[in-house]
Every structure is written in structure tokens, then in C-alpha cells.
């Protein structure tokens, strides 16, 4: 029988990150993106995220700027919305939205023969504040975002692309990368609402940490 490691409840997350760092060994991860990579691994116990996460040039600086100025995070699932830390949102003066369960979204999607995720992107286009669009489930949301970006009808300031699955998942992620918008993308088939939320949380925690450092 394997022996259990005794860890105080308050120290479990800290101990988890110690184990992650130990198992990563001497693998090089740039300091700027390290908090995001570590939290993705912490959320999934999947070390592939040390290699699979793509960060566009300057995206971390852009994310800090957006979060410190009260951006709106839009997600494609209520699960991702639930996983985004509300205290961190409040601290930064940000909010999170998910339109997937809205009655008008279901009606629009049915009328247009699209997915609710695609219809939700169209609804998000009416948001006046800067938008961070976090996708953890539906590649159709990324495809629709690319349509808007191409037409310049709606260009989110940052896209987090982490849908999971098999149909058009890989392709939609590469489309977002090629669109030129600031983005963090979990390349390949892996991802999920938990990963999208984890990336959002890591960015917010970093922004809060920077604010506190500047206040000292």
C-alpha cells in the first residue's frame, strides 16, 4: 500500500505546485508565461500543457492591461464562468458573461441553423467594453470569432482558445492564431472549460499581484 503524504488543507495547492515544479525539472518555461502554464497543469494534471500552450507576441502584457482596466470576460460555457474566480474579478473591477443559456440565443441558433456558441459570439459583439473571449468547449465559437475578425465587425482584445474534442477543434485553434488577434491557445485536441477558466484565473492572479507590488 502506498503511503499517504500528510498535507494541511490550507497547504494542498502550494504543495501541488511544488510537485509540478519538481516534475518539470529543468524544462525551460519563460518567466512571463510560467504562471499560466503551471495553473493549466495544476488544473488538469497534464504536463502536455508545458508544450501545447501558445502565446502570441505581447499577449501577457495585453492581458494585464485589459484586466487592470476592467475588461469583460465572455465564456462559451457556464462551467467556465463558474470556474472563474469571482473575488479576483471583483478586485479587478471585471465581470464575466456567458450567453449560452439565454432564451434568445437558442431561438437565434435554431432560426439560423447555427450552434448556440456561434450565436453567443454574435451577441457578445454588442458589448461596449473591451472583451476577453474565453472558449473552452465549442470550436464553432472560435470559427465565428474569426468571421467577425475578418469582417472587422467584432474584434475581441484577447482570445483564449481551449476547446476540447475532435471535430474542427485543431483547425479552429490554428485559425485564431492566424487571425493575428492577441491570443493564448491550447494547441491540439486538448482543452476544456476547466482549462479556459484556469487560464483566466492565472492571468487575473498575475494582474492582482502586479497591482499589489506597485502599491508597495
Amino acid at each position: 500500500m502506498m503511503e499517504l503524504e500528510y498535507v494541511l488543507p490550507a497547504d494542498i495547492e502550494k504543495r501541488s505546485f511544488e510537485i509540478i515544479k519538481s516534475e518539470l525539472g529543468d524544462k525551460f518555461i519563460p518567466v512571463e508565461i510560467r504562471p499560466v502554464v503551471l495553473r493549466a497543469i495544476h488544473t488538469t494534471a497534464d504536463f502536455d500543457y508545458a508544450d501545447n500552450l501558445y502565446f502570441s507576441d505581447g499577449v501577457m502584457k495585453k492581458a494585464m492591461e485589459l484586466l487592470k482596466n476592467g475588461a469583460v470576460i465572455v465564456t462559451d460555457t457556464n462551467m467556465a464562468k463558474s470556474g472563474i474566480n469571482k473575488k479576483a474579478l471583483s478586485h479587478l473591477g471585471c465581470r464575466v458573461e456567458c450567453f449560452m443559456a439565454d432564451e434568445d440565443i437558442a431561438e437565434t441558433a435554431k432560426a439560423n441553423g447555427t450552434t448556440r456558441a456561434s450565436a453567443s459570439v454574435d451577441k457578445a459583439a454588442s458589448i461596449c467594453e473591451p472583451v476577453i473571449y474565453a472558449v473552452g468547449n465549442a470550436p464553432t465559437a472560435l470559427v465565428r470569432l474569426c468571421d467577425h475578425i475578418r469582417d472587422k465587425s467584432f474584434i475581441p482584445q484577447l482570445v483564449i482558445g481551449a476547446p476540447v474534442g475532435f471535430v474542427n477543434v485543431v483547425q479552429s485553434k490554428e485559425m485564431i492564431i492566424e487571425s493575428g488577434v492577441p491570443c493564448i491557445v491550447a494547441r491540439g485536441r486538448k482543452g476544456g472549460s476547466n482549462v479556459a477558466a484556469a487560464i483566466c484565473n492565472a492571468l487575473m492572479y498575475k494582474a492582482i499581484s502586479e497591482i499589489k507590488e506597485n502599491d508597495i
Side-chain angles (χ1 to χ4, degrees):
M1 180 182 292
M2 294 182 66
E3 184 176 343
L4 293 175
E5 177 181 359
Y6 178 72
V7 182
L8 291 170
D11 294 333
I12 290 174
E13 182 174 280
K14 178 183 176 183
R15 178 60 182 139
S16 295
F17 278 98
E18 289 173 351
I19 293 170
I20 292 167
K21 291 174 184 177
S22 173
E23 293 194 18
L24 283 170
D26 58 359
K27 183 175 181 61
F28 175 72
I29 300 173
V31 173
E32 188 177 39
I33 66 171
R34 193 172 177 85
V36 179
V37 174
L38 292 180
R39 191 152 292 277
I41 295 172
H42 175 259
T43 298
T44 61
D46 188 341
F47 282 82
D48 283 353
Y49 286 101
D51 299 304
N52 293 352
L53 285 179
Y54 168 88
F55 297 78
S56 63
D57 290 341
V59 70
M60 292 298 291
K61 181 178 179 180
K62 182 67 174 178
M64 297 302 99
E65 175 188 315
L66 289 166
L67 292 168
K68 291 174 186 178
N69 287 282
V72 179
I73 300 174
V74 180
T75 75
D76 69 325
T77 65
N78 279 300
M79 184 182 294
K81 180 182 178 181
S82 297
I84 292 174
N85 189 292
K86 304 307 181 292
K87 288 185 178 179
L89 282 169
S90 178
H91 188 100
L92 293 165
C94 297
R95 74 176 196 272
V96 60
E97 300 281 1
C98 179
F99 305 124
M100 290 290 286
D102 293 2
E103 186 175 336
D104 61 321
I105 291 299
E107 293 173 352
T108 300
K110 184 177 180 179
N112 295 335
T114 66
T115 65
R116 286 182 297 157
S118 179
S120 293
V121 171
D122 294 341
K123 185 169 183 175
S126 65
I127 296 174
C128 296
E129 301 101 315
V131 170
I132 296 173
Y133 214 109
V135 179
N137 182 67
T140 54
L142 293 184
V143 173
R144 187 59 180 154
L145 280 170
C146 287
D147 291 339
H148 280 287
I149 293 164
R150 184 174 56 252
D151 297 339
K152 298 182 179 179
S153 51
F154 171 44
I155 304 177
Q157 277 68 32
L158 169 62
V159 175
I160 295 169
V164 60
F166 300 93
V167 179
N168 291 327
V169 169
V170 175
Q171 298 93 322
S172 65
K173 292 175 180 180
E174 295 304 314
M175 286 171 65
I176 281 294
I177 291 172
E178 293 168 6
S179 73
V181 298
C183 64
I184 299 173
V185 173
R187 282 181 133 155
R189 292 174 170 175
K190 293 182 179 182
S193 296
N194 58 333
V195 176
I199 293 172
C200 290
N201 287 338
L203 294 173
M204 289 194 298
Y205 300 155
K206 181 173 172 60
I208 291 169
S209 176
E210 290 184 3
I211 291 170
K212 289 180 178 179
E213 287 177 3
N214 290 333
D215 287 343
I216 295 175

